[in-house]
Amino acid sequence: MDFTYRMTVLDAADIDAEAAFWAGLLDGTVQATESGRWRSIWIDSNWQLGVQLAEDHVPPTWPDDAIPQQIHFDLYVVGIEGLDTAEELVLKLGGRVLRAARDRTEERGCQVHASPAGHPFCVCWLPRD
């Protein structure tokens, strides 16, 4: 079936913080709806991600698994320098580190972060070549 849009929608109690976080991290822009219960994130003139108001949203505690993850993104950067730059941006935008990289000297690996609403995602680094 050919759907007009395919996207991921994240629930959040604070949709403005969540939408601003993802738009900032992915170099996008936020568009609000008239109802005020939805934010759209546009990247390169394409509708890529949605944030829906869920006043009773409970953030997952994954990777500790007490409250399992509902969804997560893997974002890839080149080299450990890319991870450092991404981590700085994540923290600046209101995110946090959930699980630090195990060994930052490895040529590849990942670090688990969370958005302001607690949605987990990984920033993984790959070798330069």
Side-chain angles (χ1 to χ4, degrees):
M1 177 171 223
D2 186 21
F3 292 100
T4 304
Y5 294 104
R6 295 169 220 58
M7 76 179 60
T8 302
V9 178
L10 301 171
D11 289 348
D14 184 344
I15 59 175
D16 290 319
E18 190 70 5
F21 175 84
W22 289 108
L25 190 63
L26 301 173
D27 290 327
T29 59
V30 177
Q31 190 173 38
T33 60
E34 289 182 28
S35 74
R37 299 183 60 83
W38 181 275
R39 300 292 181 265
S40 299
I41 289 93
W42 290 76
I43 302 165
D44 298 328
S45 302
N46 293 303
W47 189 16
Q48 297 288 323
L49 185 63
V51 180
Q52 176 177 284
L53 181 62
E55 294 161 351
D56 59 350
H57 173 70
V58 176
T61 57
W62 181 85
D64 295 328
D65 291 331
I67 300 172
Q69 68 180 354
Q70 295 128 9
I71 190 170
H72 83 276
F73 299 107
D74 284 349
L75 305 173
Y76 290 86
V77 297
V78 176
I80 196 66
E81 301 83 14
L83 175 64
D84 292 339
T85 301
E87 181 180 342
E88 182 179 321
L89 180 59
V90 166
L91 297 174
K92 177 182 172 187
L93 292 169
R96 64 187 185 279
V97 175
L98 290 180
R99 181 180 290 160
R102 291 191 179 126
D103 185 351
R104 296 173 74 93
T105 65
E106 294 286 330
E107 71 174 352
R108 65 180 66 224
C110 72
Q111 182 163 286
V112 183
H113 297 84
S115 69
H119 291 289
F121 64 98
C122 297
V123 176
C124 306
W125 71 93
L126 300 172
R128 295 197 176 283
D129 49 11

